Amino acid sequence: MPNFHLPTFERLNATVPTDVDVDQVAATWMRSLSQHAEEGNARAVTALFIQDSYWRDMLALTWNFRTFHGAASIAKFLADRLLPASLANFRIKESALQPLGPDLAWIRIAFNFTVKDVGNASGIVRLVPQSDGVWQAWGMYTNLEGLEGFPERIGALRPEFAPGSRAESRNAADNEPVVVIVGGGHSGLALAARLKALDVRALVVEKNARVGDNWRNRYDKLRLHDPVWYDHMPYLPFPPTWPIYTPAKKLANWLETYADALDLDVWTSSTVLAAQPSASGNWKVVINRDGAERVFSNVHHVVFATGWGGGQLNVPSFPGMDRFKGEMMHSAEYKRSERYKGKKVVVIGACVSAHDVAADCYSQGIDVTMYQRTSTYVMSTGHGLSALMKPSYWEGGPPTENADRDGASLAPRAVVELYRRLTGAVAEADRELLDGLRGCGFRVNMGIEGTGSGLLSFERGGGYYLDVGASELLISGKIKLKNDSLISGFTERGVRFEDGSDVEADVVVFATGFGDARDTIRKVCGDAVGDRCARVWGLDEEGEVNGAWRGMGVRGLWYMMGNLAMSRFYSKHLALQIKAMEEGVFGERYGA
């Protein structure tokens, strides 16, 4: 991974003058950018950046997700793409000085521009001072917002009348969908809503009987650990009376309402049996719907929206599991603790779901033990979430769309040092909690490269716990802890460890995550397609997510995933790519 550095005053050998005129600095810099960009002068635009800088682009200039680090990399990118992109109509939206500490500050400029024959775009640039008094760019973000001639049908462009009944639309036999979305959770529905606004017909295929069952059928006390301001969905935000932390069953009902309110085409109790690309470039998709097969032969795009690991449960194998006389399940299959009263439960894992299940069991007086194999990053919701989310995703914060762009403008690898600072500050605020956990033997860490949940979320989609109470139960011994030896196998009555110790169990819950998302693709599309697919999650060498939202390496095959916030933001990018391809305006993917 590239080694990014924050532009501290020490590194810059400069500071912010007390009399700096922010608007004047912004106008001067943007005037130069506009002039040189419209001329296609890549060398002059590069000269507006410091050496240790980055440019992150989402579709606007590259039809890809790319981050270019360093002036030399930016220069090569601009030499290849600036002139063909033909940028114009630069307009500043807002500019402000943003102090981030005694040794760090920048001027943030948000602006709009256009890309010839493509559409409208937005940008965010951060300028830092130089020793000679000049301000130069440290970080640039450019983002495609809409396609020329194909605007979203929202606001003043909304349809005059409601469509026919959803039942009629879903049952239409003579109108094949352009897009088949496998999975009707929040990711699939968000993408379907985006595509509908762009007049692209999409059919969502959901295996459960009702939309939202993927949340409705989880354990009763499950709730989101992210706050409501972070979790809004496209076009239909949660009402202002919504609780800060959403119960799973409440979210399930909201998803069902969402699909109905936005007139999305969803087939429930349906399964995609097979999806195969044809010589023409289209897809043949076979769907089992209520026991009857339906075949679509000319689907242009197949999108998997089947969640982390494609919904494939990761259950490790240990010797003796076949002899265990108790009950074993994955945490995704766990429902409620009441049925285990009077029994002994062992939870294998130390992630969010492990803590939730263990706490739920303790609430019913159940003897529960958590087995922790490796260390875990822990932060409190009280200190951690406010530090991470304020002011962007908090009461009184900016419009969600603005907060999303601002977050995306800071490339994950570019802000590693910022993550470290934030993680250190949260850990200091959580000192009593963390000392208590260490005191009871629970192993804690500071996340990948000391970034807390920052890089963990992009690399693993987990490996951390946002504490909502289970940590105190561990500290007090109410949830028992076992982490001094690896599991060697199972006995008839429990779990045995390499040091010879045993933990009795009537129930074992594996909170061990999910498999490789590509396994679901292989199951539906076959190995020939699966072998060509990019890794879905995790960061590539530039710090961009490998395959989700940007194409899987197979024409017409996509993966839509992420938490509610990621799904809200990146569903638009995926929808724009599909719409551009359908209208014949999609350019060459730079660096594909």
Side-chain angles (χ1 to χ4, degrees):
M1 289 283 183
N3 188 22
F4 290 80
H5 296 293
L6 282 179
T8 60
F9 297 152
E10 181 180 4
R11 288 191 176 117
L12 297 171
N13 191 28
T15 188
V16 177
T18 56
D19 60 348
V20 62
D21 187 332
V22 172
D23 290 340
Q24 181 61 41
V25 170
T28 299
W29 194 91
M30 285 298 300
R31 191 180 305 117
S32 296
L33 174 67
S34 177
Q35 176 188 336
H36 300 319
E38 292 183 15
E39 293 170 349
N41 190 335
R43 181 174 297 180
V45 172
T46 305
L48 298 173
F49 288 74
I50 64 174
Q51 285 297 310
D52 192 7
S53 55
Y54 74 89
W55 188 314
R56 188 183 202 192
D57 181 71
M58 291 183 179
L59 307 180
L61 282 79
T62 62
W63 286 113
N64 207 341
F65 293 69
R66 299 291 306 274
T67 297
F68 307 96
H69 174 222
S73 179
I74 292 172
K76 173 65 167 63
F77 151 61
L78 292 176
D80 292 341
R81 293 300 307 147
L82 187 61
L83 193 60
S86 189
L87 310 185
N89 302 312
F90 287 86
R91 297 288 185 274
I92 294 177
K93 291 171 57 181
E94 59 183 8
S95 59
L97 177 66
Q98 294 184 327
L100 285 90
D103 65 338
L104 179 65
W106 50 53
I107 291 176
R108 175 190 175 276
I109 308 170
F111 60 94
N112 293 328
F113 65 102
T114 59
V115 183
K116 186 179 180 181
D117 299 327
V118 175
N120 58 298
S122 67
I124 294 175
V125 64
R126 290 174 170 84
L127 307 183
V128 293
Q130 303 300 291
S131 58
D132 60 1
V134 174
W135 288 74
Q136 289 186 285
W138 168 69
M140 171 69 86
Y141 171 65
T142 45
N143 182 54
L144 183 64
E145 295 288 342
L147 299 173
E148 182 179 328
F150 307 103
E152 291 179 291
R153 298 190 66 190
I154 59 176
L157 299 177
R158 73 181 76 212
E160 185 174 1
F161 301 104
S165 72
R166 289 178 64 215
E168 291 174 359
S169 179
R170 290 195 301 266
N171 288 314
D174 57 351
N175 190 13
E176 289 204 354
V178 173
V179 182
V180 168
I181 300 172
V182 186
H186 62 268
S187 291
L189 296 179
L191 178 60
R194 297 286 194 188
L195 290 169
K196 189 176 185 70
L198 289 169
D199 281 330
V200 177
R201 183 163 186 260
L203 173 65
V204 180
V205 181
E206 169 55 43
K207 67 180 180 180
N208 289 304
R210 294 172 60 189
V211 170
D213 274 352
N214 60 317
W215 289 97
R216 191 177 289 111
N217 293 337
R218 298 290 301 276
Y219 51 96
D220 287 350
K221 294 184 180 180
L222 174 64
R223 64 182 60 243
L224 301 185
H225 288 211
D226 293 323
V228 62
W229 309 283
Y230 186 63
D231 288 338
H232 294 303
M233 294 185 68
Y235 312 123
L236 192 63
F238 295 115
T241 56
W242 201 262
I244 293 177
Y245 299 107
T246 306
K249 287 178 170 48
K250 190 174 183 67
L251 177 61
N253 293 337
W254 178 262
L255 294 178
E256 195 167 43
T257 299
Y258 185 86
D260 184 65
L262 273 65
D263 296 308
L264 305 181
D265 295 337
V266 184
W267 283 3
T268 53
S269 300
S270 303
T271 304
V272 175
L273 300 177
Q276 291 292 324
S278 65
S280 67
N282 293 335
W283 290 76
K284 178 181 178 181
V285 180
V286 181
I287 301 172
N288 182 308
R289 188 186 187 200
D290 294 325
E293 282 194 7
R294 177 68 187 273
V295 179
F296 294 121
S297 300
N298 293 295
V299 174
H300 295 184
H301 305 269
V302 175
V303 183
F304 282 84
T306 46
W308 302 105
Q312 302 295 310
L313 308 183
N314 180 37
V315 178
S317 178
F318 294 102
M321 290 176 74
D322 57 332
R323 299 199 309 271
F324 179 58
K325 294 187 178 300
E327 185 177 355
M328 291 188 293
M329 71 193 72
H330 191 274
S331 59
E333 301 166 314
Y334 174 86
K335 303 301 180 190
R336 58 186 62 88
S337 57
E338 287 86 349
R339 58 180 295 203
Y340 305 124
K341 284 184 176 181
K343 297 184 177 181
K344 294 183 177 181
V345 176
V346 171
V347 181
I348 296 177
C351 59
V352 171
S353 61
H355 283 79
D356 284 354
V357 169
D360 186 37
C361 288
Y362 173 76
S363 72
Q364 295 298 318
I366 295 169
D367 182 329
V368 56
T369 300
M370 178 186 293
Y371 170 67
Q372 181 191 31
R373 187 175 66 88
T374 59
S375 61
T376 307
Y377 174 65
V378 178
M379 70 175 179
S380 68
T381 52
H383 294 133
L385 280 186
S386 61
L388 289 173
M389 299 294 182
K390 282 184 177 180
S392 295
Y393 301 105
W394 215 260
E395 196 67 37
T400 305
E401 294 81 4
N402 293 355
D404 287 345
R405 293 187 194 99
D406 199 53
S409 69
L410 293 166
R413 295 298 309 186
V415 289
V416 164
E417 290 185 15
L418 203 58
Y419 281 146
R420 287 175 184 152
R421 292 185 178 199
L422 184 61
T423 301
V426 171
E428 182 59 32
D430 282 339
R431 177 186 291 273
E432 183 178 350
L433 171 72
L434 297 177
D435 284 349
L437 286 170
R438 294 186 185 101
C440 77
F442 190 88
R443 297 197 295 269
V444 297
N445 62 49
M446 296 288 278
I448 298 173
E449 298 180 36
T451 62
S453 62
L455 290 182
L456 277 169
S457 61
F458 285 108
E459 287 288 1
R460 294 176 52 189
Y464 53 87
Y465 173 57
L466 309 182
D467 181 43
V468 291
S471 290
E472 183 54 43
L473 297 177
L474 281 162
I475 292 168
S476 63
K478 294 172 182 176
I479 294 175
K480 298 176 183 177
L481 176 66
K482 176 70 175 177
N483 65 1
D484 57 355
S485 181
L486 296 177
I487 294 174
S488 62
F490 278 67
T491 67
E492 290 185 356
R493 298 181 58 190
V495 185
R496 176 158 293 167
F497 296 86
E498 290 182 356
D499 64 0
S501 61
D502 293 281
V503 175
E504 289 188 16
D506 302 295
V507 180
V508 175
V509 181
F510 289 93
T512 45
F514 298 87
D516 189 329
R518 289 172 292 187
D519 292 344
T520 299
I521 296 175
R522 289 182 183 278
K523 182 178 179 181
V524 174
C525 303
D527 288 338
V529 171
D531 289 343
R532 295 164 57 194
C533 286
R535 181 184 171 200
V536 177
W537 204 243
L539 299 179
D540 65 15
E541 64 277 4
E542 292 181 351
E544 296 291 343
V545 171
N546 280 290
W549 322 311
R550 61 190 291 194
M552 291 294 296
V554 179
R555 178 180 172 181
L557 182 65
W558 311 84
Y559 208 102
M560 182 68 221
M561 68 178 295
N563 58 25
L564 277 100
M566 290 176 176
S567 296
R568 173 186 64 243
F569 184 63
Y570 290 106
S571 58
K572 184 172 183 178
H573 294 85
L574 179 44
L576 286 173
Q577 291 174 84
I578 289 175
K579 179 65 174 179
M581 290 177 178
E582 290 305 301
E583 300 298 342
V585 298
F586 189 90
E588 183 178 355
R589 204 183 287 277
Y590 182 65

